[in-house]
Amino acid sequence: MRKSKFVKLKFREAGFISRALLSTRHPVLAHLIPMRRCNLACGYCNEYDHTSSPVPLDVMKRRIDKLGSLGTSIVTISGGEPMMHPQLDDIIHQIRMRGMIAGLISNGYYFTPERIKRLNKAGLEYLQISIDNVEPDEVSRKSLRVLDKKLRYLSEYADFHVNINSVIGGGIKNPEDALSVARRAVELKFSTTVGVIHDGDGTLKPLSPKEKDIFQQVKKMGNKDHARLNWFQDSIAEGKPYNWRCRAGARYLYICEDGLVHWCSQQKGYPGIPLQDYSMADFDREYKTEKWCAPTCTLQCVHQVGILDNWRDPQQAPGLTKPESSLKDTIHEVLSAE
Ligand code: SF4
Ligand code: SF4
């Protein structure tokens, strides 16, 4: 990434952080899914299929406009594999046109010099690729050996920030691979982070002593800002719950391919309201709702957004904040159970 562009991006980020600290009444980060389909089938993943079609561009544009009108700061395109969407560049361009920061999470398979140049032109600002191991195996083919050529292309042509995330847990066989991935990222002048990953059912597995040791080593090599923001990971690695206020459904939004707002990728179905109908009343309710899954949550980006408001506005149990329709559902469930 060119230095002048990097400095400009840092200024914009600082502006967004100040705005988020001054006002709690807008989303900071939205994950937007343009396509559920993926070219891979990682063993721990519950976020893909092999058959769905891309969401049409005009629908995606309407969703982006709505996020803009809610005052969202950052929109990150995720999936599935979003690079399979034939109009990804237009989607990114639309995010930039609405004045929001445009990010992308990808498995890296589709990067060629030509494709990277098109993403530069569209205005992409952040890319994250997660690499799970050095050699492909039955759990994951997001492997350094397969992707190294793509990383070299990115190092040469990308005019956006690239972060390489390595992972620990979730059935990854050789935890030391995370060290090789982080070293390669540093060599290519990318930033690097490390995440603890879920099992297929979204639950957390405690790390083994060897995994814990490698986790700490990789963290030291990585992005200092992220390490500072991700202290929750130390508790999770130790198998201890972490006490924080998850602001999913408000400061963080997850919008699936059907255009519904969910707490996050691991808690789909609630609130399950169409983005186009999402109001500040929904935002306020979710902001105040305590999430039962927070103590063992490993989703780094939602934790990072949560830091902005952890010190203010205590939350209430879901029973006290649920929308009317959900309360009716609950009463219906109780009556059916009886
Ligand atoms: S983790 Fe990413 S690359 Fe792997 S199957 Fe899931 S969506 Fe696809
Ligand atoms: S605590 Fe984690 S898993 Fe639960 S809703 Fe928040 S982000 Fe999702």
Side-chain angles (χ1 to χ4, degrees):
M1 185 177 209
R2 272 182 291 119
K3 198 163 181 190
S4 58
K5 197 171 171 191
F6 180 75
V7 172
K8 210 168 149 192
L9 178 60
K10 287 288 154 195
F11 267 116
R12 284 181 70 214
E13 277 177 2
F16 284 133
I17 291 170
S18 313
R19 185 170 151 246
L21 286 169
L22 287 171
S23 163
T24 58
R25 304 205 77 236
H26 62 271
V28 176
L29 170 65
H31 274 170
L32 185 60
I33 313 299
M35 183 148 187
R36 186 57 64 189
R37 197 163 180 159
C38 187
N39 54 321
L40 301 182
C42 304
Y44 54 81
C45 179
N46 54 12
E47 297 181 50
Y48 72 95
D49 67 30
H50 284 148
T51 52
S52 55
S53 303
V55 179
L57 180 60
D58 58 328
V59 176
M60 288 304 296
K61 281 187 172 176
R62 279 201 293 278
R63 290 177 190 168
I64 291 163
D65 288 347
K66 171 72 183 197
L67 288 171
S69 62
L70 286 171
T72 309
S73 301
I74 307 165
V75 179
T76 297
I77 305 292
S78 180
E81 174 46 52
M83 291 283 287
M84 292 176 87
H85 195 292
Q87 286 144 321
L88 178 64
D89 301 354
D90 299 298
I91 294 171
I92 289 168
H93 183 67
Q94 184 71 10
I95 296 169
R96 294 302 309 277
M97 286 299 94
R98 293 300 309 235
M100 298 178 279
I101 291 180
L104 176 68
I105 297 177
S106 165
N107 63 32
Y109 269 67
Y110 291 102
F111 287 96
T112 60
E114 187 273 331
R115 197 69 197 80
I116 296 166
K117 287 179 197 167
R118 274 171 46 200
L119 290 169
N120 289 341
K121 200 165 162 215
L124 183 66
E125 291 169 290
Y126 275 107
L127 166 70
Q128 172 154 302
I129 299 178
S130 265
I131 300 186
D132 295 341
N133 48 25
V134 174
E135 295 294 333
D137 61 22
E138 66 285 358
V139 175
S140 172
R141 302 186 63 76
K142 294 195 294 186
S143 313
L144 189 57
R145 189 171 64 74
V146 181
L147 291 169
D148 197 70
K149 187 164 130 193
K150 310 291 181 183
L151 299 187
R152 279 183 274 126
Y153 288 153
L154 283 162
S155 170
E156 189 164 352
Y157 298 105
D159 200 11
F160 41 84
H161 183 98
V162 180
N163 184 66
I164 305 299
N165 190 56
S166 55
V167 286
I168 304 259
I172 299 293
K173 266 193 216 149
N174 303 312
E176 53 280 348
D177 283 6
L179 273 173
S180 310
V181 171
R183 282 195 195 110
R184 185 63 177 139
V186 171
E187 242 170 54
L188 291 169
K189 302 200 172 14
F190 300 143
S191 65
T192 176
T193 50
V194 57
V196 181
I197 56 173
H198 293 282
D199 272 356
D201 62 2
T203 56
L204 171 76
K205 252 191 186 167
L207 297 186
S208 69
K210 185 179 174 189
E211 285 173 329
K212 269 186 225 165
D213 178 49
I214 290 170
F215 175 60
Q216 291 304 337
Q217 289 187 58
V218 177
K219 261 179 81 169
K220 279 190 198 128
M221 290 169 62
N223 182 326
K224 302 279 177 298
D225 294 341
H226 280 263
R228 271 193 290 273
L229 295 176
N230 284 345
W231 58 78
F232 76 94
Q233 290 184 321
D234 293 329
S235 297
I236 298 294
E238 291 293 334
K240 293 181 193 153
Y242 184 77
N243 187 19
W244 65 296
R245 292 171 185 153
C246 169
R247 305 291 180 173
R251 302 286 256 172
Y252 169 81
L253 302 176
Y254 179 92
I255 298 111
C256 72
E257 65 278 26
D258 298 323
L260 304 178
V261 177
H262 307 269
W263 277 352
C264 67
S265 63
Q266 301 307 309
Q267 294 297 343
K268 291 200 207 90
Y270 191 81
I273 295 170
L275 175 66
Q276 295 307 333
D277 302 335
Y278 216 66
S279 65
M280 283 318 285
D282 296 314
F283 181 101
D284 290 341
R285 181 189 63 249
E286 298 308 326
Y287 182 83
K288 285 189 231 140
T289 300
E290 188 181 288
K291 314 298 188 304
W292 61 270
C293 37
T296 55
C297 173
T298 62
L299 298 184
Q300 294 181 54
C301 49
V302 195
H303 273 273
Q304 288 173 1
V305 169
I307 288 168
L308 293 163
D309 308 304
N310 258 343
W311 52 281
R312 58 186 166 192
D313 307 328
Q315 294 178 311
Q316 294 171 292
L320 301 172
T321 57
K322 268 189 172 182
E324 212 174 301
S325 57
S326 296
L327 283 173
K328 277 184 198 147
D329 288 345
T330 310
I331 291 164
H332 176 72
E333 278 162 26
V334 171
L335 290 176
S336 320
E338 280 173 359

